[in-house]
Amino acid sequence: MKNKKTVYATMTGDLFHRGHLEFIKKAKALGDALVIGLHPDDVVKRYKREPVIPFKDRKKILESIKGVTEVVEDCMDYRSPTMLENLKKYKIDIAVHGDDWLPPLYKEAQKKKMCKVVQVPTYPYITTTKLLHEIRKTRSLRNLLEKKKNIVIVSAGDSITAKLIEEADFDGIWISGFEASARLGLADNGTITMTEMLERTKIVTEATSLPVMVDVDNGYGGIHNFIRTVKEFEKIGCSAVCVEDNIFPKQNSLWGGKVPLLSMKEHGAKIRAGKDTQKTKDFMIVARTEALIRGYGMAEAIKRSKYYADCGADMILMHSRESTGKEALQVPKHWKSKVPLVIVPTKFPQITNKQLFDSGYSVIVLANQTERVKIKAIRDSLKIIKKHDSVNPIEQVLSATLDDLRNLTPIKETQEIDRKYKY
Ligand code: SPV
Ligand code: MG
């Protein structure tokens, strides 16, 4: 009994797959008994995401795997039982972890000489994150809307922001024409081209598995331009495009007074053409009217939206900038159709998402907050660096770590490829 070795491995074990199985085999081969320290749901949520499979089911699955002696709760160091408590309690000889990285608690156990720490090669072909990525790729905004009534999508124009939005568990991504134009040094007045938006959108669709809705302004011209827009954005895996009834050149909706709008019939024709063009049934066209923004009144906004819905629009956005939010909250009361309503609450941030959903909206677009917080953070940081003539003060507080930045690149995937194609 004395010479028997007990091995300990921590695990999330979510969406059990071949990688877990291979890891368990390798861990068991190191000793005679294998204790799995399984992370409860609240713990997983703190360092990763809400697990798909609840703790008690993950535990049952693991207990039924050959080679697993016991499955115990391991709360890392968030609460008891901590990993280090378990190492003592179960008289662990060897703690085992994949060789992709070593968590700080394993390092601590090693340092305190609580047990031996061994790293085994990770199975390179699958991870739960990859599985989720694949599943979500097939998850369209349309599917999501059927399952979940209240959707919040957030703007991203680069892969880091997109990944952070996914990490923060939002439902989807908005590619903002305003932001994209600003990044190119352009005003939001239709100067940006369709291909420039497409390039930026590709980066985001590659980086995340969330549904992506693209602000395609007025479709970059007439019907033919919009047909091409629908073809191109659907091809790269977008879930939806949002097209507004602005004439060319457009003006940003958040400023300026009454300007002429495209005729309702012409915008409707664009939508019909777009719907006839899309290849998959899941792709959505959001028809946006600027009638409220440009002072044409609620009746005109409703009339136009009804017409656009009759032309096949999958969702309606009656854009509002009235700063008390009353106008926006009124819109659903006037909307008798089942076609879902989208809202962009930029100018009335005091109205909560709950209030907007309760009033009848289905989709909330947070159209530029991620970009605006960056501006402020960069500006503040630069002031501090200038003042102290050193980066040290921001390293301590404001800055993400280098590892943080590196982990927002596909570093693991790159390592897997290097391993797979070793020559
Ligand atoms: C955008 O984000 O580009 C939008 C929303 O279209 S707004 O800026 O309010 O027009
Ligand atoms: Mg826009």
Side-chain angles (χ1 to χ4, degrees):
M1 200 62 187
K2 242 177 107 196
N3 292 330
K4 296 227 156 164
K5 289 209 181 321
T6 306
V7 181
Y8 188 80
T10 54
M11 204 177 257
T12 308
D14 200 18
L15 296 178
F16 198 83
H17 56 68
R18 173 92 187 264
H20 293 121
L21 211 53
E22 295 299 326
F23 175 65
I24 286 170
K25 267 196 228 162
K26 285 175 199 150
K28 178 64 191 0
L30 296 170
D32 307 284
L34 173 63
V35 178
I36 301 283
L38 190 65
H39 300 147
D41 299 341
D42 63 307
V43 173
V44 181
K45 200 172 166 188
R46 288 178 78 156
Y47 76 92
K48 210 179 242 174
R49 69 180 97 74
E50 185 107 46
V52 180
I53 317 274
F55 178 80
K56 65 174 186 0
D57 295 341
R58 288 185 281 123
K59 187 165 185 282
K60 278 266 177 252
I61 292 167
L62 277 165
E63 281 167 348
S64 70
I65 303 293
K66 199 170 128 196
V68 174
T69 316
E70 196 175 351
V71 181
V72 301
E73 210 181 78
D74 178 311
C75 303
M76 302 171 95
D77 55 357
Y78 291 121
R79 61 179 173 83
S80 213
T82 65
M83 174 179 160
L84 300 189
E85 283 166 6
N86 281 349
L87 294 181
K88 265 194 218 149
K89 180 171 174 186
Y90 299 99
K91 299 188 176 53
I92 300 302
D93 302 289
I94 301 166
V96 59
H97 198 275
D99 64 354
D100 48 347
W101 77 296
L102 194 63
L105 282 172
Y106 280 78
K107 288 185 186 153
E108 201 178 324
Q110 207 168 26
K111 215 168 130 197
K112 289 184 172 159
K113 298 196 169 27
M114 295 177 78
C115 61
K116 212 170 133 187
V117 171
V118 176
Q119 288 191 267
V120 294
T122 47
Y123 184 72
Y125 310 113
I126 192 74
T127 62
T128 301
T129 305
K130 263 196 205 166
L131 271 178
L132 280 172
H133 197 83
E134 288 309 312
I135 294 166
R136 280 185 183 152
K137 255 191 191 162
T138 59
R139 193 227 285 161
S140 66
L141 193 58
R142 191 184 292 281
N143 288 344
L144 193 59
L145 260 170
E146 277 162 18
K147 275 197 284 179
K148 194 175 171 196
K149 294 284 165 275
N150 302 336
I151 308 263
V152 181
I153 70 175
V154 185
S155 70
D158 61 87
S159 74
I160 291 182
T161 314
K163 284 177 183 176
L164 293 177
I165 293 167
E166 182 159 11
E167 187 184 297
D169 214 14
F170 283 96
D171 304 303
I173 289 181
W174 167 255
I175 312 274
S176 156
F178 181 17
E179 282 186 0
S181 304
R183 277 188 214 104
L184 290 176
L186 302 172
D188 183 20
N189 60 0
T191 320
I192 194 166
T193 64
M194 189 271 276
T195 44
E196 283 168 336
M197 277 303 273
L198 198 63
E199 280 308 308
R200 270 129 203 96
T201 305
K202 266 187 206 161
I203 293 168
V204 170
T205 50
E206 276 295 311
T208 99
S209 43
L210 292 177
V212 174
M213 184 191 288
V214 190
D215 167 16
V216 295
D217 290 347
N218 62 359
Y220 308 101
I223 287 178
H224 296 287
N225 304 76
F226 188 55
I227 287 176
R228 182 166 176 232
T229 300
V230 167
K231 274 188 193 160
E232 295 296 330
F233 283 88
E234 187 182 23
K235 220 190 285 177
I236 63 163
C238 292
S239 282
V241 290
C242 175
V243 63
E244 65 204 26
D245 51 8
N246 263 319
I247 53 167
F248 187 86
K250 63 158 280 179
Q251 291 182 25
N252 179 278
S253 319
L254 302 174
W255 292 272
K258 200 164 182 168
V259 293
L261 298 181
L262 196 68
S263 84
M264 185 178 82
K265 289 273 165 71
E266 190 175 345
H267 197 59
K270 266 189 194 172
I271 288 159
R272 283 193 278 118
K275 289 306 294 175
D276 287 343
T277 300
Q278 71 182 64
K279 290 219 161 50
T280 61
K281 70 172 180 22
D282 278 352
F283 189 77
M284 294 177 116
I285 295 182
V286 182
R288 161 170 162 181
T289 180
E290 297 288 279
L292 293 174
I293 290 268
R294 296 300 169 199
Y296 291 93
M298 187 66 79
E300 178 68 15
I302 296 288
K303 183 177 125 196
R304 281 179 172 252
S305 300
K306 267 198 191 137
Y307 185 72
Y308 302 155
D310 289 345
C311 290
D314 300 284
M315 286 193 260
I316 295 292
L317 167 51
M318 288 178 238
H319 200 10
S320 170
R321 68 176 190 208
E322 187 277 314
S323 62
T324 68
K326 278 192 191 137
E327 182 182 76
L329 292 172
Q330 280 297 315
V331 165
K333 294 197 176 83
H334 295 274
W335 187 239
K336 304 285 175 247
S337 159
K338 284 209 164 56
V339 176
L341 289 178
V342 181
I343 184 75
V344 185
T346 309
K347 292 292 259 184
F348 35 94
Q350 74 282 11
I351 308 290
T352 63
N353 291 352
K354 182 171 185 323
Q355 279 175 289
L356 294 169
F357 287 133
D358 288 351
S359 77
Y361 287 101
S362 301
V363 179
I364 297 175
V365 176
L366 306 182
N368 46 47
Q369 287 75 9
T370 52
E371 197 62 22
R372 288 193 286 136
V373 295
K374 281 183 217 164
I375 296 171
K376 177 137 176 27
I378 294 171
R379 196 172 268 147
D380 289 353
S381 306
L382 291 173
K383 270 191 201 147
I384 294 171
I385 297 170
K386 192 83 180 164
K387 184 170 162 210
H388 294 266
D389 204 18
S390 160
V391 291
N392 204 36
I394 65 149
E395 283 286 339
Q396 311 301 320
V397 190
L398 283 170
S399 184
T401 62
L402 281 173
D403 276 347
D404 212 352
L405 178 56
R406 187 169 183 255
N407 290 336
L408 287 163
T409 67
I411 187 69
K412 282 194 182 164
E413 287 85 340
T414 312
Q415 285 163 348
E416 277 175 30
I417 289 170
D418 287 342
R419 195 160 25 202
K420 188 171 172 186
Y421 299 106
K422 207 167 177 176
Y423 54 92

